[in-house]
Amino acid sequence: EVQIVESGGGLVQAGGSLRLSCAASGFTFDDYAIGWFRQAPGKEREGVSCISSSDGSTYYADSVKGRFTISSDNAKNTVYLQMNSLKPEDTAVYYCAADKDLLHTVVTVTTPGAPAYGMDYWGKGTLVTVSS
């Protein structure tokens, strides 16, 4: 059974940091790209960042470049999202998702306005709230 479980969300003040974790099981982790997405209240789901589990290449949406860092521990089948310099506009439910198609994942994450759906597997999300 495929499982993707996010953790690490919470309430933080603007300028603070959080680290999200995405633990995956039930599929061959190294064969998949793992992406982070977010959905703020009343807004469409959008891409944040993704990583290739096979070669570690990383990609970011413009809105988080320089503030967020994605990393992977393949031995633990876990992907992390280190979020620094958080802003109130980062408030959202953060989802982790996996897809075998790296190109599809990169396009979905990095193209502004791209529908953030169609990934093979999704987690249920973790809430991040940034207070001003």
Side-chain angles (χ1 to χ4, degrees):
E1 179 189 3
V2 171
Q3 283 195 320
I4 293 181
V5 180
E6 303 95 335
S7 61
L11 174 64
V12 64
Q13 287 189 329
S17 298
L18 281 175
R19 189 177 83 152
L20 305 184
S21 299
C22 168
S25 62
F27 59 93
T28 305
F29 188 79
D30 290 1
D31 290 345
Y32 282 73
I34 308 295
W36 283 99
F37 300 82
R38 66 187 182 186
Q39 189 165 17
K43 294 189 176 181
E44 292 291 321
R45 190 172 298 185
E46 64 178 4
V48 174
S49 181
C50 64
I51 185 168
S52 166
S53 297
S54 61
D55 66 11
S57 54
T58 59
Y59 307 85
Y60 298 91
D62 287 343
S63 58
V64 305
K65 276 181 185 175
R67 300 189 299 124
F68 291 10
T69 302
I70 192 170
S71 61
S72 177
D73 184 340
N74 286 25
K76 296 182 178 180
N77 284 6
T78 299
V79 169
Y80 304 97
L81 185 69
Q82 178 66 42
M83 305 187 296
N84 298 330
S85 302
L86 282 162
K87 305 175 181 179
E89 52 262 45
D90 294 319
T91 294
V93 177
Y94 283 71
Y95 297 91
C96 182
D99 198 282
K100 264 202 165 185
D101 188 336
L102 175 61
L103 178 59
H104 163 72
T105 304
V106 172
V107 170
T108 301
V109 165
T110 63
T111 304
Y117 297 96
M119 301 287 284
D120 291 337
Y121 307 118
W122 287 90
K124 294 183 178 181
T126 186
L127 177 63
V128 172
T129 303
V130 184
S131 63
S132 56

